[in-house]
Amino acid sequence: MKQKTLTKGEIQVMNILWDMQRGATIAEIQKQYPEPQPAYTTIATFLKIMEQKGFVVKHKSGAGKTFVFSPLMTRERYRRLVVDDVKDTFFGGSVKSLVSFFAEEDELTQEDINEILTILQSRNHAH
Protein backbone atom coordinates (compact mmCIF):
# COMPACT_ATOMS: atom_id res chain seq x y z
CA MET A 1 0.00 0.00 0.00
CA LYS A 2 1.30 3.44 -0.90
CA GLN A 3 1.82 5.70 2.13
CA LYS A 4 -0.49 8.72 2.13
CA THR A 5 0.94 12.21 2.40
CA LEU A 6 0.06 14.83 4.98
CA THR A 7 -2.01 17.99 4.61
CA LYS A 8 -0.45 21.37 5.42
CA GLY A 9 -2.02 21.37 8.89
CA GLU A 10 -0.84 17.84 9.61
CA ILE A 11 2.69 18.72 8.49
CA GLN A 12 2.71 21.60 11.00
CA VAL A 13 1.91 19.13 13.78
CA MET A 14 4.58 16.69 12.55
CA ASN A 15 7.17 19.48 12.36
CA ILE A 16 6.43 20.36 15.98
CA LEU A 17 6.81 16.71 17.04
CA TRP A 18 10.01 16.32 15.01
CA ASP A 19 11.43 19.54 16.49
CA MET A 20 10.54 18.47 20.04
CA GLN A 21 12.31 15.14 19.46
CA ARG A 22 9.98 13.37 21.87
CA GLY A 23 6.35 12.44 22.27
CA ALA A 24 4.02 15.25 23.30
CA THR A 25 0.49 15.85 24.54
CA ILE A 26 -1.98 17.92 22.55
CA ALA A 27 -1.53 20.80 25.02
CA GLU A 28 2.27 20.65 24.63
CA ILE A 29 1.93 20.65 20.84
CA GLN A 30 -0.50 23.59 21.01
CA LYS A 31 2.01 25.64 23.06
CA GLN A 32 4.61 25.28 20.28
CA TYR A 33 2.39 27.05 17.71
CA PRO A 34 2.86 30.75 17.08
CA GLU A 35 -0.12 33.00 17.83
CA PRO A 36 -2.90 32.66 16.90
CA GLN A 37 -2.72 29.07 18.08
CA PRO A 38 -5.21 26.60 16.61
CA ALA A 39 -7.90 25.24 18.91
CA TYR A 40 -7.10 22.18 21.04
CA THR A 41 -9.84 20.28 19.18
CA THR A 42 -8.30 21.16 15.80
CA ILE A 43 -4.96 19.67 16.83
CA ALA A 44 -6.76 16.62 18.28
CA THR A 45 -8.51 16.11 14.92
CA PHE A 46 -5.22 16.38 13.01
CA LEU A 47 -3.63 13.81 15.35
CA LYS A 48 -6.56 11.39 15.01
CA ILE A 49 -6.29 11.51 11.20
CA MET A 50 -2.48 11.22 11.36
CA GLU A 51 -2.84 8.16 13.61
CA GLN A 52 -5.21 6.58 11.06
CA LYS A 53 -2.71 7.35 8.28
CA GLY A 54 0.07 5.69 10.30
CA PHE A 55 2.20 8.77 10.96
CA VAL A 56 1.82 8.98 14.76
CA VAL A 57 1.14 6.59 17.60
CA LYS A 58 -0.55 7.51 20.87
CA HIS A 59 0.03 6.04 24.29
CA LYS A 60 -1.23 6.92 27.75
CA SER A 61 0.93 9.22 29.84
CA GLY A 62 1.44 7.56 33.21
CA ALA A 63 -1.74 6.74 35.12
CA GLY A 64 -3.70 9.70 33.77
CA LYS A 65 -6.12 9.97 30.85
CA THR A 66 -3.73 12.15 28.86
CA PHE A 67 -2.30 10.74 25.64
CA VAL A 68 1.20 11.35 24.34
CA PHE A 69 1.68 11.34 20.56
CA SER A 70 4.92 10.26 18.93
CA PRO A 71 5.94 10.30 15.25
CA LEU A 72 6.32 6.93 13.56
CA MET A 73 8.43 8.36 10.75
CA THR A 74 11.47 10.62 10.69
CA ARG A 75 11.45 13.96 8.90
CA GLU A 76 14.06 12.58 6.47
CA ARG A 77 11.93 9.50 5.66
CA TYR A 78 8.86 11.68 5.06
CA ARG A 79 10.85 14.06 2.85
CA ARG A 80 12.00 11.06 0.76
CA LEU A 81 8.39 9.82 0.50
CA VAL A 82 7.14 13.20 -0.77
CA VAL A 83 10.02 13.77 -3.20
CA ASP A 84 9.64 10.24 -4.59
CA ASP A 85 5.91 10.87 -5.06
CA VAL A 86 6.56 14.16 -6.91
CA LYS A 87 9.29 12.51 -9.02
CA ASP A 88 7.00 9.60 -9.96
CA THR A 89 3.85 11.71 -10.48
CA PHE A 90 5.26 14.68 -12.39
CA PHE A 91 8.59 13.53 -13.81
CA GLY A 92 7.97 9.95 -14.90
CA GLY A 93 10.24 8.67 -12.13
CA SER A 94 13.25 10.49 -13.59
CA VAL A 95 15.65 12.18 -11.16
CA LYS A 96 17.28 13.91 -14.14
CA SER A 97 13.94 15.48 -15.17
CA LEU A 98 13.24 16.57 -11.59
CA VAL A 99 16.68 18.20 -11.19
CA SER A 100 16.43 19.79 -14.65
CA PHE A 101 13.08 21.32 -13.68
CA PHE A 102 14.56 23.02 -10.62
CA ALA A 103 17.65 24.09 -12.52
CA GLU A 104 15.49 25.77 -15.18
CA GLU A 105 12.70 27.13 -12.97
CA ASP A 106 14.62 28.39 -9.94
CA GLU A 107 17.03 31.25 -10.22
CA LEU A 108 20.21 29.50 -9.19
CA THR A 109 23.31 31.57 -8.55
CA GLN A 110 26.69 30.37 -9.75
CA GLU A 111 27.47 29.63 -6.10
CA ASP A 112 24.35 27.41 -5.88
CA ILE A 113 25.38 25.54 -9.04
CA ASN A 114 28.94 25.05 -7.73
CA GLU A 115 27.61 23.68 -4.42
CA ILE A 116 25.27 21.27 -6.24
CA LEU A 117 28.12 20.09 -8.48
CA THR A 118 30.32 19.51 -5.41
CA ILE A 119 27.56 17.42 -3.80
CA LEU A 120 27.10 15.35 -6.97
CA GLN A 121 30.84 14.85 -7.41
CA SER A 122 31.33 13.75 -3.80
CA ARG A 123 28.42 11.33 -4.17
CA ASN A 124 30.00 9.81 -7.29
CA HIS A 125 33.34 9.35 -5.50
CA ALA A 126 31.56 7.62 -2.60
CA HIS A 127 30.26 4.86 -4.90
Side-chain angles (χ1 to χ4, degrees):
M1 186 187 117
K2 193 170 181 181
Q3 182 88 41
K4 293 178 173 74
T5 54
L6 298 166
T7 64
K8 189 175 180 180
E10 293 164 357
I11 289 171
Q12 284 183 294
V13 173
M14 283 299 282
N15 276 324
I16 288 169
L17 287 172
W18 286 324
D19 289 344
M20 292 178 79
Q21 298 182 340
R22 63 173 177 81
T25 65
I26 296 171
E28 290 172 329
I29 293 167
Q30 186 180 31
K31 285 179 191 162
Q32 297 302 311
Y33 272 88
E35 293 293 340
Q37 294 175 335
Y40 183 97
T41 52
T42 301
I43 297 169
T45 300
F46 285 148
L47 286 162
K48 182 178 180 183
I49 294 166
M50 292 161 63
E51 185 181 17
Q52 291 167 350
K53 289 181 177 181
F55 285 101
V56 297
V57 63
K58 74 178 177 186
H59 45 274
K60 282 196 175 171
S61 170
K65 296 179 188 174
T66 306
F67 285 102
V68 172
F69 293 84
S70 300
L72 287 172
M73 180 181 292
T74 63
R75 182 181 269 133
E76 293 72 25
R77 170 91 177 84
Y78 184 71
R79 187 180 296 147
R80 164 60 62 188
L81 183 89
V82 171
V83 170
D84 282 350
D85 187 48
V86 168
K87 179 184 69 173
D88 294 343
T89 302
F90 297 104
F91 299 97
S94 168
V95 172
K96 187 174 93 174
S97 295
L98 175 68
V99 172
S100 296
F101 170 80
F102 285 109
E104 292 167 12
E105 295 295 319
D106 284 6
E107 293 185 18
L108 298 174
T109 65
Q110 189 59 50
E111 185 179 345
D112 292 335
I113 293 168
N114 291 342
E115 284 182 37
I116 292 167
L117 289 172
T118 300
I119 292 166
L120 293 173
Q121 288 166 345
S122 68
R123 185 175 182 274
N124 283 340
H125 293 305
H127 290 305

